[in-house]
Amino acid sequence: MNKKIKTEAVDHLFQAILTLKSVEDCYSFFEDVCTVNELLSLSQRYEVAKMLREHKTYLEIAEKTGASTATISRVNRSLNYGNDGYDMVFDRLDLPAE
């Protein structure tokens, strides 16, 4: 875990997120907390991670998501050298690694 982000304020945010019970709850909360661009960027990174897990090429991912190669590379680095957060979520959602 990155010690720079481990703060009481971030703990409070995550505790608030854990209270959300539906996709509609998430829309209500995240539309208030994030700008449209921030939310779209987060969702884009998540889609990039799913496609990397499916062994799609950078070109395929860029064409489908509109992500830059820099973003794809950053997500790939997180998948390979990060805290396994993406994999934890994918496993919990039972998304296959192809």
Side-chain angles (χ1 to χ4, degrees):
M1 177 182 359
N2 186 335
K3 292 178 185 172
K4 291 179 184 176
I5 67 165
K6 178 75 173 126
T7 67
E8 187 175 351
V10 173
D11 283 351
H12 291 163
L13 173 63
F14 291 161
Q15 289 165 358
I17 291 168
L18 290 170
T19 69
L20 303 173
K21 298 189 184 325
S22 69
V23 171
E24 286 305 314
D25 285 356
C26 291
Y27 273 103
S28 295
F29 181 74
F30 282 99
E31 283 184 45
D32 285 349
V33 171
C34 299
T35 66
V36 171
N37 285 339
E38 289 168 337
L39 194 50
L40 292 175
S41 291
L42 289 171
S43 64
Q44 181 187 64
R45 287 184 212 136
Y46 182 77
E47 291 302 313
V48 167
K50 282 178 26 183
M51 293 181 76
L52 284 167
R53 185 177 164 108
E54 296 166 353
H55 305 291
K56 303 292 187 205
T57 67
Y58 276 34
L59 182 59
E60 290 172 305
I61 295 167
E63 286 176 352
K64 174 134 197 244
T65 67
S68 69
T69 55
T71 295
I72 298 167
S73 180
R74 195 173 313 117
V75 171
N76 193 42
R77 193 168 37 254
S78 292
L79 284 169
N80 291 316
Y81 305 108
N83 295 313
D84 298 324
Y86 282 116
D87 288 331
M88 174 184 59
V89 169
F90 294 151
D91 290 344
R92 289 179 182 173
L93 290 172
D94 202 24
L95 296 177
E98 294 179 4

